[in-house]
Amino acid sequence: MIDDIKKRALHRSRILQGQLRGIEKMIENEEYCVDIITQSLAVQKSLRSLNKLLVENHLRTHVSDMFDEGGDAREKAVAELLAVFELQQNRGT
């Protein structure tokens, strides 16, 4: 991974861990549902941010190399990106 992206992805991952622990405590304490939902939506936003970093890294490293290689490697890169795009579309985010 690219060092800067790795650092940012790890930071985002740690934030997510804290957010999830917070949701768990909120559920255990039977806090107001809308407050829990609000926190859950914040987690989803953080996950989108993490995914964006991971996609950026993949494009700048693996996909770039696969396109340079050409042929089957290039086709595999396109197929991977289309599969990720399809997963994202199916989840409606």
Side-chain angles (χ1 to χ4, degrees):
M1 287 190 84
I2 297 170
D3 287 339
D4 178 58
I5 293 175
K6 180 178 179 177
K7 180 180 176 181
R8 291 166 41 211
L10 285 170
H11 177 71
R12 176 63 49 200
S13 174
R14 290 179 185 116
I15 290 171
L16 278 158
Q17 290 173 23
Q19 288 175 311
L20 288 172
R21 283 191 302 272
I23 289 174
E24 184 178 9
K25 287 178 185 176
M26 292 174 81
I27 293 168
E28 286 174 354
N29 295 335
E30 298 182 16
E31 293 190 26
Y32 190 59
C33 296
V34 173
D35 293 339
I36 299 170
I37 292 167
T38 300
Q39 187 63 25
S40 175
L41 291 171
V43 167
Q44 290 176 30
K45 183 177 179 182
S46 291
L47 279 170
R48 284 190 300 273
S49 178
L50 175 61
N51 286 336
K52 183 179 174 183
L53 287 170
L54 296 173
V55 168
E56 178 184 355
N57 186 79
H58 190 62
L59 289 170
R60 292 183 184 279
T61 57
H62 301 100
V63 172
S64 179
D65 292 343
M66 293 166 89
F67 264 67
D68 287 346
E69 188 176 328
D72 289 341
R74 178 185 217 137
E75 292 305 312
K76 182 179 177 186
V78 170
E80 285 178 350
L81 292 173
L82 288 173
V84 169
F85 178 76
E86 186 175 326
L87 280 172
Q88 185 268 335
Q89 292 296 95
N90 288 339
R91 296 191 180 175
T93 57

